[in-house]
Structures are given as C-alpha cells and as structure tokens.
Amino acid sequence: MGVFTSCCIIDDDDFFILSSKNILKQVDFSTNILYYTNGQKALDGLVGLIVENIKLPTIIFLDLNMPKRDGWSFLEEFEEFPEDKIKHIQIYITSSFISPSLIEKSKKYKLVKDYIVKPLTENALQKIISSHKVI
C-alpha cells in the first residue's frame, strides 16, 4: 500500500537509485516510486505530470551534484511551479557531503524539509514517516 502515494528520487547515481528503491519498498514507504537521473529530466517529467493533471509526488529525494542541472538549479526552478501544485511536497536533500554550509543553504528553500547524508536508511525513512503523521 505505501505510506505515501508516490515519491521521487532525483539522482545521477544508478546504485543509489537502486538501493534507495529497495529500502523504500522494504519499509512500505511509497506505492509509486519515480526516478530521474538529473534535475532537467526531473523538471520535464514533473511538468508532464502537471499537464496530465496528475498529483506530484509527496516526497522528493534530491541529490545536489548532478550533470546538466544540479539540485540547486532544480530547486530554483521547481519553487516557481504553481503553489497549488507543489504546496504538499516535502523535499529531502540527499548528499554524500556533510557540510554545514550546504545544510544552511538548503534551509533557504521553503520546500526543503531536511538534509539526509547518503545512503538512505530505514531509520531516516521511519523519521520521515513519523514526522509526516504529526502534520
């Protein structure tokens, strides 16, 4: 069934996508898992969902360092999407870097809920599930 109807992984690392999909399925996190290999493909895909009048994923796991369009550039453009289409979304930055300056920068974006150091773990996912139930 899944706690969330859909979630999305935006990352250029195939191994991270595969391992994340496995852990998401193990904890029954989401019924539908979308993934994109860079920020531009994600923006194009998410715009396509809006055009088709399909609700965007509730949770987005976003890598920062990607070719073509990085996570920061994705965030800049994504936050310009129509408010009624994105207000339900929580973005979790997923990065290999533990950097106080990156964590601070991520807090400037209204949709960014938290910063998770890779890999995605069952514990991190349980925290997201718990925090969502409180909302």
Side-chain angles (χ1 to χ4, degrees), residues 45-82:
L46 296 172
V47 165
L49 293 178
I50 290 173
V51 168
E52 296 293 324
N53 208 22
I54 297 170
K55 188 175 181 183
L56 296 181
T58 306
I59 305 291
I60 296 176
F61 298 102
L62 176 65
D63 185 27
L64 295 176
N65 297 315
M66 297 177 285
K68 294 200 173 97
R69 185 184 283 267
D70 67 9
W72 300 119
S73 174
F74 170 86
L75 280 169
E76 290 291 331
E77 190 159 332
F78 189 70
E79 288 202 342
E80 298 298 317
F81 278 32

Side-chain angles (χ1 to χ4, degrees), residues 2 4 15 21 43 49 55 57 64 68-69 73 75 89 92 121 130:
F4 301 100
F15 180 75
K21 285 171 70 175
L43 286 168
L49 293 178
K55 188 175 181 183
L64 295 176
K68 294 200 173 97
R69 185 184 283 267
S73 174
L75 280 169
I89 296 173
Y92 291 84
T121 62
S130 296

Side-chain angles (χ1 to χ4, degrees), residues 41-126:
K41 287 181 180 176
L43 286 168
D44 295 345
L46 296 172
V47 165
L49 293 178
I50 290 173
V51 168
E52 296 293 324
N53 208 22
I54 297 170
K55 188 175 181 183
L56 296 181
T58 306
I59 305 291
I60 296 176
F61 298 102
L62 176 65
D63 185 27
L64 295 176
N65 297 315
M66 297 177 285
K68 294 200 173 97
R69 185 184 283 267
D70 67 9
W72 300 119
S73 174
F74 170 86
L75 280 169
E76 290 291 331
E77 190 159 332
F78 189 70
E79 288 202 342
E80 298 298 317
F81 278 32
E83 176 71 22
D84 64 317
K85 302 291 184 191
I86 63 170
K87 65 183 176 198
H88 70 285
I89 296 173
Q90 296 178 2
I91 296 177
Y92 291 84
I93 302 292
T94 50
S95 178
S96 304
F97 302 107
I98 304 170
S99 162
S101 64
L102 291 179
I103 294 169
E104 274 310 303
K105 183 176 180 181
S106 73
K107 290 178 182 174
K108 294 179 179 149
Y109 296 89
K110 63 182 180 209
L111 295 176
V112 173
K113 183 82 169 160
D114 205 352
Y115 189 103
I116 298 172
V117 178
K118 290 180 178 179
L120 271 184
T121 62
E122 186 174 333
N123 191 34
L125 295 174
Q126 292 297 347

